[in-house]
Amino acid sequence: MRGAILFNGNAESDEWLVRAAAPFLATSRHKDPAVAAARRTLLVTAGWAEHEYDEAHVKRALNTAGFPSVFEEGFDRAHENLSLLSELDGVLAKAPELAEAFRELRRAEATARRFYLEHNAHTIDLFRRTLREAKSEAPDTDLQSLLADMTHPTGPRALARHALARELRRAFRTLESNDDHLFELFGDIERRAFDAAGALYHPAFRAAKERLEARILSASNIFLFGGRLDLLLGALRFFRLRDVFVEALRRGAQIVAVSAGAMVLCERVIVYDDFAETPRDFQLYDRGLGIVQDIQIFPHCMERIQTDDPDNLAYLARRFRHHACVGLNQRSLLLLDLSPRRAVSVGAGDGVYAFGPDGRKRCHRAGEEVAIS
């Protein structure tokens, strides 16, 4: 793939994000000379809900950064809004059967998510109590060593520590199983909902999908803004837009993804659940688009992750083990080149924070490569 993705955790402002991304966007990688020359920018603002079209400040920032507007019949052809949420609302208004299928899907997802959180609340509480007891038995121990195999325990109180470590691993396997179950269940109920409604062959759906795909493929630069994760991800998944984004990247499009916009590109969308029964914990929220399969993005890193707690970092990296866990802040910028596949920290104001099952936090400053394999 010729394209690349620039990730940010939670920009202090949309204008700052445009300024920070300007050097990245200045030289197009697109294989189509016409698209490269036009340098069209596509704005995906579905996460802004009713403010989807309140993007004038972004266009002004783009103009200031060297990406001028081009007006034809009063419409800015250089900076277009994907109109994702508007297209979704239009299809649902024209097709009551699809609207009912979509509502039923959302109800089913909410039910599955509720039971998943209830199951996890008990297991997480048990896990934490077990870890506290294990550390009281051996204050110098850590989660990494407890989760490692201990087939021949020795020393004072070694058998008690061994028993507690076995219980920790058992709880961990339960959490991993719950995550995998929810991930597979969401895929199953989505297929059932839209297969039953014939969504892919409904005229209103097909027309809207074609318009969306045309806008995506004609853009050299794409901004995936944050906001309401449920609205953004729901609309992207409704229109099955994963493949067209992959094709845009293959042709050389460049994507700037921030906060929820960064999360939806991952295979799994992991969120900090403010309303969970157990405090300060992350949970699987949904399946993402799966465009980025090397990295698990954690936005708002310093606000939501206890990054100075090795046990917490080891817990997150082991539980969400499928990909390299990377934390991003307001001024963190991670550039992912897709061919060859390489991730580099490029933010001048902050680093990119990688953490692994050993519980270590590695801060990668500008110019430093981040291991993703």
Side-chain angles (χ1 to χ4, degrees):
M1 292 186 185
R2 299 167 62 98
I5 303 171
L6 183 67
F7 293 102
N8 171 245
N10 47 300
E12 58 192 57
S13 69
D14 298 325
E15 292 88 346
W16 178 89
L17 182 65
V18 170
R19 291 194 301 271
F24 166 65
L25 304 176
T27 303
S28 177
R29 305 171 180 225
H30 211 283
K31 65 186 295 185
D32 185 330
V35 174
R39 295 200 306 178
R40 289 187 63 254
T41 301
L42 185 67
L43 309 177
V44 185
T45 57
W48 296 358
E50 67 273 15
H51 301 291
E52 181 175 27
Y53 292 120
D54 292 350
E55 78 282 278
H57 65 294
V58 177
K59 293 181 178 180
R60 287 194 297 269
L62 284 165
N63 295 161
T64 302
F67 301 89
S69 295
V70 178
F71 289 97
E72 295 180 11
E73 299 178 352
F75 184 77
D76 188 349
R77 301 293 178 183
H79 310 309
E80 183 177 11
N81 197 303
L82 182 59
S83 302
L84 179 59
L85 198 59
S86 177
E87 291 283 12
L88 173 61
D89 291 341
V91 170
L92 299 183
K94 294 174 185 175
E97 63 275 34
L98 295 189
E100 177 55 31
F102 190 61
R103 285 193 295 270
E104 181 60 26
L105 172 62
R106 300 306 286 268
R107 285 195 292 268
E109 288 173 339
T111 299
R113 197 173 286 119
R114 175 165 52 86
F115 278 96
Y116 160 82
L117 290 174
E118 288 179 9
H119 281 296
N120 278 3
H122 170 73
T123 306
I124 291 170
D125 178 63
L126 180 63
F127 182 93
R128 287 179 171 164
R129 287 193 288 114
T130 306
L131 179 60
R132 285 198 298 270
E133 187 167 341
K135 291 176 79 71
S136 70
E137 292 282 346
D140 293 334
T141 195
D142 56 28
L143 182 60
Q144 178 194 4
S145 61
L146 287 167
L147 291 175
D149 288 336
M150 294 177 55
T151 53
H152 301 289
T154 59
R157 310 183 72 87
L159 284 177
R161 183 175 182 272
H162 176 65
L164 290 166
R166 290 281 296 271
E167 289 299 325
L168 277 174
R169 292 197 290 273
R170 181 184 178 195
F172 217 90
R173 287 193 298 269
T174 300
L175 290 172
E176 292 174 343
S177 176
N178 288 346
D179 292 342
D180 293 343
H181 169 75
L182 187 67
F183 184 84
E184 294 169 4
L185 177 58
F186 278 155
D188 177 51
I189 60 179
E190 183 179 270
R191 285 189 297 272
R192 289 172 181 264
F194 290 108
D195 286 354
L200 296 180
Y201 293 93
H202 193 285
F205 175 91
R206 291 168 72 95
K209 183 175 172 66
E210 288 175 4
R211 288 192 294 271
L212 292 168
E213 289 181 341
R215 292 168 194 154
I216 292 168
L217 292 178
S218 63
S220 177
N221 301 317
I222 301 171
F223 277 84
L224 269 171
F225 290 100
R228 286 277 302 276
L229 172 62
D230 57 335
L231 295 180
L232 175 62
L233 182 58
L236 289 168
R237 293 271 300 280
F238 178 86
F239 285 113
R240 307 293 200 274
L241 294 180
R242 178 195 182 277
D243 289 346
V244 70
F245 275 107
V246 170
E247 176 60 15
L249 287 166
R250 187 189 71 82
R251 297 182 185 186
Q254 300 176 122
I255 296 178
V256 179
V258 57
S259 192
M263 295 164 70
V264 300
L265 295 178
C266 299
E267 184 177 55
R268 297 187 177 207
V269 178
I270 307 300
V271 299
Y272 176 85
D273 191 346
D274 293 303
F275 304 104
E277 294 183 34
T278 52
R280 296 187 66 82
D281 198 60
F282 286 83
Q283 306 281 8
L284 173 67
Y285 177 76
D286 208 333
R287 297 181 307 137
L289 299 184
I291 294 172
V292 176
Q293 299 192 0
D294 312 288
I295 304 170
Q296 184 65 61
I297 297 292
F298 290 86
H300 304 266
C301 173
M302 292 305 180
E303 298 173 23
R304 297 178 176 175
I305 300 178
Q306 295 164 290
T307 60
D308 294 326
D309 181 355
D311 287 337
N312 185 58
L313 297 183
Y315 166 81
L316 287 175
R318 286 177 178 271
R319 180 173 168 193
F320 305 115
R321 65 204 180 282
H322 305 83
H323 313 293
C325 291
V326 174
L328 302 175
N329 293 318
Q330 281 190 341
R331 297 207 168 193
S332 301
L333 293 170
L334 177 67
L335 175 60
L336 177 63
D337 278 305
L338 299 176
S339 184
R341 214 160 181 84
R342 183 169 178 261
V344 180
S345 174
V346 296
D350 201 350
V352 170
Y353 298 84
F355 46 95
D358 59 358
R360 292 178 59 196
K361 175 180 65 178
R362 301 164 179 84
C363 177
H364 299 272
R365 296 296 178 182
E368 296 179 353
E369 187 166 347
V370 180
I372 58 175
S373 58

